[in-house]
Amino acid sequence: MISKNKHNTLFLFFIAFTAVSYAQHHNISAGYIPPSDHLVQQNLEEWQDLKFGLFMHWGTYSQWGIVESWSLCPEDEGWTVRRGPHSDNYFEYKKAYENLQTTFNPTAFNPEKWAQAAQQAGMKYVVFTTKHHDGFAMFDTKQSDYKITDAKTPFSSSPRADVTKEIFHTFRDKGFKIGAYFSKPDWHTEHYWWPYFPPKDRNVNYDPAKYPERWNKFKQFTYNQIEELMTNYGRVDILWLDGGWVRPLASVDTTVDWQRTIKVEQDIDMPRIAAMARRHQPGLLVVDRTVPGEFENYVTPEQQVPDKSLDIPWESCMTMGSSWSYVPDDTYKPARDIVHTLIKIVSRGGNYLLNIGPGPHGDWDPDAYDRLQAVGGWMAINSEGIYATRPVAPYNEGDVYYTRKNDGSATYAFMLSTEDTVELPTSVRLPLPGGGAVKRVELLGIGKLRFKETDDALEITIPKNRRQPVDLRYATVFKLTH
Ligand code: GLC
């Protein structure tokens, strides 16, 4: 039985905060170093063929329906605002937040249902928050009892309590590549936020140069947790490291707003971590995001699509709702927007990592399933123009976007539509990207069409009976075979 008091508490949180945190915008692309290890190169090529992945932010915070972790951060920003009981007292609040461990019981957890929905939508990889900045481990770490498998957490009695393991195994069985999101900063361990001092901001709250022993313990703690993830969880393809303020001081880019908060050395020894991780997981992609160099195998623009093609591997991570974490009654983006975003990203050479936040009971909002299903309907007809393609100039002309199969065998032209019912004109003139004689033109889902090739364009004729033959919603795709 939930007491009335508890109901009120829940209600308070449910009307709370939905703003997405924009805590880690960064300048992309400067300083990229291509991997030299051929297994990493190969994994990176394969990953670039997949295009569409599922991101999930899930933790004890999902019970309050608040932003992931950030309400613990004593910075005065829109995404750190505390709400609900104890919000007027930082330390009381932190206690209550951490106490969420004792009520977390996501009994509806069913990763098969997620994997099936993601697969049907055409997603090919998954990245899951094994530990966010708050330090709560969604896996069975031996380094801390602030974890889902600890006896204090009700869900620990479930045979599926190690949700990271369950998610990774389930998605891997369906052929997904597996990504472990892991926050380098940890706002729970005394080796990062030493209780002797109050935390001042997102950063370590003591000077590691002055207290090297404590910092070394933090380094070892991080190393050990990552080693657990690299050894007990089967094949892992991507180590997605968040929290770019844990970085060598010399790598700070002071033109980026949030990096100006970094005042002390926070070198965590990435060469050692990456070498260990790749010993266990050969070919592993390491994404030490926002820290350009050897350990950022691809870059990760957040909540945005670069406005042109980038010449390095990249992935836009974006929320399907308004927040990374679950928020009750959130508004989910329409399927049309999702498909259009996917096309834009792929035409510029990137991958799309689309986030859904599971709720407190361990399931998604029905709207998330609904969107994935609609996206899957479009993908079932058109995905061959998405996977295993590379960008081709001019990328787009107005509302027509291009991709090319990476073996050069075909070019795809996506005509975006804003209406559900599309009536095609009697003929379409497509500017022809980057050479390659066209042998055959096909409207995906419909069939072969007559065409004429002029100097720099194709004139495609569309017979009357094919102008409105199926539901061409979201985008119509012409395949030009070379
Ligand atoms: C933002 C958020 C962080 C989230 C990340 C995902 O940086 O601040 O909480 O995990 O985006 O990319």
Side-chain angles (χ1 to χ4, degrees), residues 287-302:
V287 184
D288 190 13
R289 67 189 299 241
T290 81
V291 189
E294 229 189 307
F295 306 110
E296 194 184 29
N297 292 152
Y298 63 75
V299 297
T300 56
E302 184 177 295

Side-chain angles (χ1 to χ4, degrees), residues 144-373:
S144 159
D145 57 10
Y146 192 44
K147 61 175 177 182
I148 190 160
T149 49
D150 184 75
K152 282 193 288 301
T153 310
F155 199 59
S156 64
S157 62
S158 161
R160 311 197 83 178
D162 189 343
V163 295
T164 295
K165 187 165 273 177
E166 300 293 329
I167 290 169
F168 285 3
H169 285 344
T170 306
F171 280 78
R172 193 186 299 112
D173 281 352
K174 288 200 176 290
F176 283 60
K177 273 195 193 282
I178 301 299
Y181 168 111
F182 181 88
S183 167
K184 292 178 293 176
D186 183 311
W187 296 335
H188 182 79
T189 173
E190 57 179 340
H191 301 126
Y192 194 74
W193 275 4
W194 183 10
Y196 181 80
F197 296 119
K200 288 184 289 291
D201 55 22
R202 68 185 70 186
N203 292 281
V204 61
N205 74 341
Y206 60 92
D207 182 356
K210 198 163 170 192
Y211 302 97
E213 266 175 43
R214 187 166 289 269
W215 183 255
N216 283 336
K217 283 194 180 138
F218 177 62
K219 274 162 66 175
Q220 193 58 44
F221 167 83
T222 306
Y223 180 100
N224 291 348
Q225 283 200 323
I226 293 176
E227 184 156 47
E228 291 171 338
L229 288 168
M230 296 298 113
T231 49
N232 299 330
Y233 292 84
R235 171 69 192 161
V236 176
D237 304 285
I238 306 163
L239 176 61
W240 209 99
L241 295 174
D242 199 17
W245 53 96
V246 172
R247 70 198 290 144
L249 191 57
S251 73
V252 168
D253 176 355
T254 50
T255 66
V256 182
D257 225 29
W258 63 265
Q259 293 195 29
R260 276 187 239 124
T261 67
I262 309 172
K263 302 287 187 227
V264 294
E265 181 59 66
Q266 297 185 61
D267 188 350
I268 198 151
D269 200 351
M270 275 308 298
R272 179 166 171 258
I273 289 176
M276 170 275 289
R278 289 196 175 125
R279 211 165 42 243
H280 300 302
Q281 301 286 346
L284 177 77
L285 301 182
V286 178
V287 184
D288 190 13
R289 67 189 299 241
T290 81
V291 189
E294 229 189 307
F295 306 110
E296 194 184 29
N297 292 152
Y298 63 75
V299 297
T300 56
E302 184 177 295
Q303 296 288 31
Q304 49 164 325
V305 180
D307 53 20
K308 55 180 191 317
S309 141
L310 306 179
D311 55 3
I312 59 175
W314 62 277
E315 167 194 83
S316 275
C317 52
M318 301 178 88
T319 53
M320 188 193 275
S322 67
S323 166
W324 296 105
S325 49
Y326 170 83
V327 172
D329 303 321
D330 203 358
T331 306
Y332 288 83
K333 287 170 186 141
R336 166 175 286 106
D337 289 16
I338 296 170
V339 169
H340 287 185
T341 303
L342 178 65
I343 293 168
K344 283 177 193 164
I345 288 175
V346 173
S347 75
R348 291 166 197 169
N351 278 21
Y352 185 17
L353 185 62
L354 178 61
N355 182 83
I356 298 171
H361 307 298
D363 204 357
W364 300 338
D365 189 293
D367 284 359
Y369 290 103
D370 172 76
R371 300 304 187 270
L372 288 188
Q373 174 139 39

Side-chain angles (χ1 to χ4, degrees), residues 21 23-24 55 57 68 70 132-133 181 240 242 289 302 317 324:
S21 54
Q24 292 179 62
F55 204 5
H57 278 66
E68 67 291 345
W70 282 99
H132 204 263
H133 313 328
Y181 168 111
W240 209 99
D242 199 17
R289 67 189 299 241
E302 184 177 295
C317 52
W324 296 105

